[in-house]
Amino acid sequence: EVQLVESGGGSVQAGGSLRLSCTASGFYFGGSVMAWFRQAPGNECEWVGTIPPLGLARYANSARGRFTISRDNTKNTVYLQMNSLKPEDTAVYSCAAGVGDICNRASGYWGQGTQVTVSS
């Protein structure tokens, strides 16, 4: 059974930091492109960034310079370090495998999401 389980969400004041984790099982994590997406109420799903099995991560403009994606293939875990958080970063954050930068929940594997709330 494929599982992606996010953790680390919560409430933080503007300017603060959070680190999200996503632990995977049931598929070959080490060979999979992993991505983070977010969706705020009333908004469309938004790509945050993608990290390949080896190499550098890519980021959406909204995330570049503030967010960092990393992975530990020995732990089947991908991370999203978020710094200098803004109220507009408030959303449910989900990790996904095998979807690149396209938010299509009908493809790849998806976690259930974790809520991030940034207050001003």
Side-chain angles (χ1 to χ4, degrees):
E1 179 188 7
V2 171
Q3 281 193 315
L4 291 170
V5 181
E6 299 97 339
S7 61
S11 297
V12 64
Q13 289 192 326
S17 299
L18 282 174
R19 188 176 85 151
L20 307 184
S21 300
C22 170
T23 300
S25 61
F27 65 98
Y28 179 41
F29 178 86
S32 297
V33 175
M34 299 300 297
W36 286 95
F37 294 86
R38 67 185 184 183
Q39 188 162 18
N43 289 5
E44 293 185 352
C45 179
E46 177 187 8
W47 173 67
V48 174
T50 299
I51 186 166
L54 295 173
L56 298 178
R58 298 186 299 113
Y59 301 93
N61 288 339
S62 59
R64 192 175 298 114
R66 299 187 299 126
F67 294 2
T68 302
I69 298 174
S70 60
R71 64 191 294 162
D72 186 340
N73 291 337
T74 68
K75 297 181 179 179
N76 283 8
T77 300
V78 60
Y79 304 96
L80 177 62
Q81 175 69 46
M82 304 185 292
N83 299 328
S84 302
L85 282 162
K86 306 174 182 180
E88 52 264 43
D89 294 318
T90 296
V92 174
Y93 285 72
S94 300
C95 65
V99 299
D101 58 0
I102 305 298
C103 186
N104 180 2
R105 294 182 182 270
S107 66
Y109 305 127
W110 288 79
Q112 82 289 350
T114 185
Q115 176 71 46
V116 170
T117 302
V118 184
S119 58
S120 58

